[in-house]
Amino acid sequence: MRVVFAGTPEFAACALRALHEAGFEIPLVLTQPDRPAGRGMQLQASSVKQYALAHGMEVAQPLSLRMDSKDPQRGTEARAAHERLLALDYDVMVVAAYGLILPRSTLDIRPCINIHGSLLPRWRGAAPIHRAIEAGDRETGVTIMGMEEGLDTGPMMLMERVPIADTDTTGSLHDRLAELGGRMIVEALRRMEAGVLEAVPQPEDGVTYAAKISKEEAKLDFTLPAELLWRRVRAFNPFPGAHGMVDGVAVKVWNAVLAEGSGAPGAVLSADAQGVVVACGGGALRMTELQKPGGKRLAAPDFLKSFPLSGKVFS
């Protein structure tokens, strides 16, 4: 089969690598335009683009695929991408965390299959891994689905479940789901080649939406229960990084566990080699890995050497 691939971050690059290593021909890769990144804010190619170019694949980076865009440049690039797809001999488009909406004009050219990091219909939308951890879900997984114009509403083709451990962060869970998604899309396309890939509609019950993560919600509100804050610390690791304010300084919290203790929300109950225990609206949170602005991520004992927290209050 000839596969057009559309994706952008590392999650998608894992799938592209799996397809390439499985021997599928990939005549075109779509990915988002290069973005400024890092301290120098230099333009950086997406993980998908880097893999594609390293393996001699053609890459296109349109700003949009919507030909009716009111922005002249977006409309022009969308029409060029549409014409390229129409002229291309391919069998299926595989989409994984592309970041652009595929309009009906694209969906109608060839079948489109999506790799989605949740157990649909739970957590449709942009941030299914973050939201599953934040909500305290005990399991998640990957769904291979057909694409429609609706947001992750298409029929399900394959699904595999993955347990969520108490130690999981979005980073660790992302890596497991990315590898699983790569394996599953290879299996799905092989079934499609054999004519035995079935699709079933999603259940109408249990639909939830995984809204995009904002930097603002990563600020910890210590009037909330410790268990919710513990889940948010894990959900926002590595992006955008949960944080609390101490004397006007944003202290990032990369890892934490639940602890015993009570007091005024935000009050530091203890700060020692075991971690920094902070009272919450219910229970307490023991922070075990922290970071100050411009500093490195440090285990609590090392962090406290340069940033004492005894008697302080997180706000």
Side-chain angles (χ1 to χ4, degrees):
M1 295 184 73
R2 289 169 58 83
V3 180
V4 168
F5 187 87
T8 299
E10 183 60 29
F11 182 90
C14 288
L16 178 59
R17 181 176 66 248
L19 291 170
H20 178 249
E21 291 178 351
F24 290 97
E25 187 175 352
I26 304 169
L28 178 65
V29 172
L30 300 174
T31 191
Q32 288 214 39
D34 298 358
R35 307 290 189 195
R39 291 187 177 182
M41 296 301 288
Q42 298 295 313
L43 287 178
Q44 182 171 314
S46 71
S47 296
V48 162
K49 180 180 178 180
Q50 292 177 44
Y51 184 90
L53 292 181
H55 293 85
M57 301 174 192
E58 179 185 345
V59 174
Q61 297 175 271
L63 288 168
S64 173
L65 293 175
R66 290 185 173 277
M67 292 184 289
D68 59 355
S69 174
K70 295 180 180 179
D71 180 281
Q73 182 179 357
R74 290 174 181 270
T76 298
E77 292 191 13
R79 286 188 289 275
H82 183 71
E83 291 172 3
R84 180 72 185 98
L85 290 172
L86 286 175
L88 194 62
D89 176 23
Y90 71 101
D91 300 292
V92 62
M93 178 183 287
V94 170
V95 181
Y98 181 27
L100 294 183
I101 294 174
L102 268 62
R104 170 56 56 189
S105 57
T106 301
L107 297 174
D108 283 345
I109 298 174
R110 296 286 189 280
C112 296
I113 298 178
N114 181 240
I115 308 168
H116 187 73
S118 82
L119 301 174
L120 292 170
R122 185 157 178 80
W123 303 127
R124 296 174 179 174
I129 302 175
H130 301 77
R131 298 306 181 190
I133 292 178
E134 182 186 22
D137 291 3
R138 302 312 303 171
E139 66 174 4
T140 185
V142 170
T143 304
I144 306 296
M145 56 176 289
M147 294 190 69
E148 302 175 341
E149 285 188 282
L151 179 63
D152 298 327
T153 59
M156 303 180 298
M157 298 167 173
L158 294 177
M159 179 184 290
E160 288 198 27
R161 299 175 181 272
V162 171
I164 301 177
D166 288 346
T167 54
D168 267 323
T169 64
T170 288
S172 65
L173 189 55
H174 165 280
D175 291 349
R176 298 210 307 278
L177 294 181
E179 291 299 323
L180 175 60
R183 178 173 61 78
M184 289 176 65
I185 192 60
V186 169
E187 179 183 352
L189 294 191
R190 285 176 173 159
R191 289 191 186 189
M192 178 179 282
E193 282 184 302
V196 294
L197 183 64
E198 298 182 355
V200 298
Q202 293 185 35
E204 295 183 2
D205 295 332
V207 174
T208 53
Y209 289 92
K212 185 178 180 180
I213 302 296
S214 69
K215 292 185 178 180
E216 289 73 22
E217 63 184 309
K219 184 180 184 299
L220 297 174
D221 178 357
F222 289 93
T223 65
L224 297 173
E227 183 171 351
L228 175 55
L229 297 185
W230 167 62
R231 297 199 304 260
R232 286 185 175 175
V233 167
R234 294 160 49 222
F236 300 151
N237 179 352
F239 176 83
H243 70 275
M245 302 299 295
V246 180
D247 294 337
V249 177
V251 175
K252 284 199 172 183
V253 183
W254 291 108
N255 279 298
V257 295
L258 296 175
E260 298 292 332
S262 62
V268 175
L269 303 179
S270 65
D272 52 33
Q274 304 304 312
V276 180
V277 179
V278 180
C280 305
L285 194 67
R286 185 185 304 276
M287 304 172 183
T288 57
E289 186 180 11
L290 305 97
Q291 181 182 14
K292 62 183 179 182
K296 297 179 180 179
R297 292 172 56 162
L298 296 172
D302 295 323
F303 180 85
L304 293 170
K305 291 176 182 178
S306 61
F307 203 109
L309 288 173
S310 294
K312 299 291 187 178
V313 176
F314 279 80
S315 61

